[in-house]
Amino acid sequence: QQIFATGTPVLQKEEPKTDRTSGETRLIFVTKLPIRDSSGRIIGLVGFGNDLTERRRAEEGLIEERNSLRTLIDTLPDYIYVKDTQSRFVLSNTEHARHMGAASPEDLTGKTDFDFYPKDLAEKFFADEQEIMRTGKPLIQKDEANTTLKGHFCRVLSSKIPLRNAYGEIMGIVGTSLEITRKKQMEEELRDVNGKLV
């Protein structure tokens, strides 16, 4: 009646409906448009609805899955990040942001290693990543020298794999790094001790 009175259409209005067979509530998006005669007078309406229940459930499932994944990667002690084809950060976990000296993972978005590391080190990381994206061959557990933003030397065990879209095209890389500085120091100390005992 509102459409007849005002001529204003109803567009994608969310209307829950109960399925008479199953008793399940379905989410219907309804659109209703006025039908006019040659003089412009409203003489009826046309309406249709889209059942978007499954789409809404899928969206909610994706949100839940994303939140679970976010919780997981922010709990791990590894540095975890995703970069695009230009080696710009798209995603980082909390531990990686801390290592990079950023206040939050979001502060890394759109930036590259050149914004954080000395040029020679950033160039090395960039070259490795571009080679991975060119060839599709991953880099697995590479022992790398690193430098923190405060200038402290550290060692990390890095893995970088190509990130592909649904068509198999490489759209970036996923990287993980585990700091092994203390482990390497302990190994060296143990070698020194063994050397003195021989």
Side-chain angles (χ1 to χ4, degrees):
Q1 294 305 309
Q2 184 179 353
I3 293 172
F4 289 133
T6 66
T8 303
V10 171
L11 301 175
Q12 292 292 301
K13 181 181 178 183
E14 189 175 317
E15 292 186 358
K17 301 285 185 184
T18 301
D19 188 307
R20 293 181 180 178
T21 305
S22 65
E24 177 187 24
T25 300
R26 308 291 296 179
L27 184 61
I28 312 297
F29 282 78
V30 175
T31 293
K32 297 178 182 178
L33 306 169
I35 299 174
R36 301 176 185 271
D37 62 15
S38 58
S39 66
R41 184 170 59 93
I42 297 174
I43 58 172
L45 62 83
V46 60
F48 58 91
N50 291 322
D51 186 339
L52 299 181
T53 308
E54 302 307 324
R55 177 177 171 182
R56 176 62 62 85
R57 286 176 181 163
E59 289 172 351
E60 291 172 351
L62 286 172
I63 291 171
E64 184 177 334
E65 184 177 322
R66 183 187 65 193
N67 291 341
S68 297
L69 181 60
R70 183 81 242 181
T71 300
L72 173 64
I73 69 170
D74 280 337
T75 303
L76 293 172
D78 300 53
Y79 310 145
I80 301 173
Y81 53 89
V82 176
K83 293 183 178 182
D84 65 14
T85 55
Q86 301 303 310
S87 289
R88 294 175 296 216
F89 290 108
V90 175
L91 178 146
S92 295
N93 71 340
T94 302
E95 195 63 22
H96 181 244
R98 182 197 63 74
H99 171 73
M100 300 294 283
S104 71
E106 290 73 26
D107 289 340
L108 293 175
T109 303
K111 296 179 180 176
T112 72
D113 288 328
F114 289 95
D115 295 305
F116 299 95
Y117 292 113
K119 184 180 178 184
D120 59 336
L121 196 56
E123 285 177 343
K124 181 176 177 298
F125 294 156
F126 181 80
D128 283 348
E129 291 160 5
Q130 293 303 306
E131 180 69 7
I132 291 166
M133 287 184 272
R134 186 183 67 79
T135 65
K137 294 179 180 178
L139 180 152
I140 304 296
Q141 294 194 330
K142 181 178 181 181
D143 187 344
E144 295 182 315
N146 204 323
T147 305
T148 67
L149 272 294
K150 294 181 180 178
H152 300 304
F153 174 81
C154 64
R155 298 287 289 273
V156 295
L157 204 57
S158 294
S159 293
K160 298 177 183 180
I161 62 172
L163 177 64
R164 300 178 185 272
N165 62 20
Y167 303 102
E169 301 164 336
I170 295 175
M171 52 186 291
I173 62 143
V174 176
T176 65
S177 296
L178 178 64
E179 187 168 339
I180 56 172
T181 310
R182 183 59 188 148
K183 178 184 175 184
K184 287 292 183 181
Q185 288 172 345
M186 290 176 68
E187 288 175 353
E188 290 172 6
E189 290 170 5
L190 185 60
R191 277 196 297 269
D192 290 343
V193 171
N194 288 337
K196 291 175 183 177
L197 294 175
V198 175

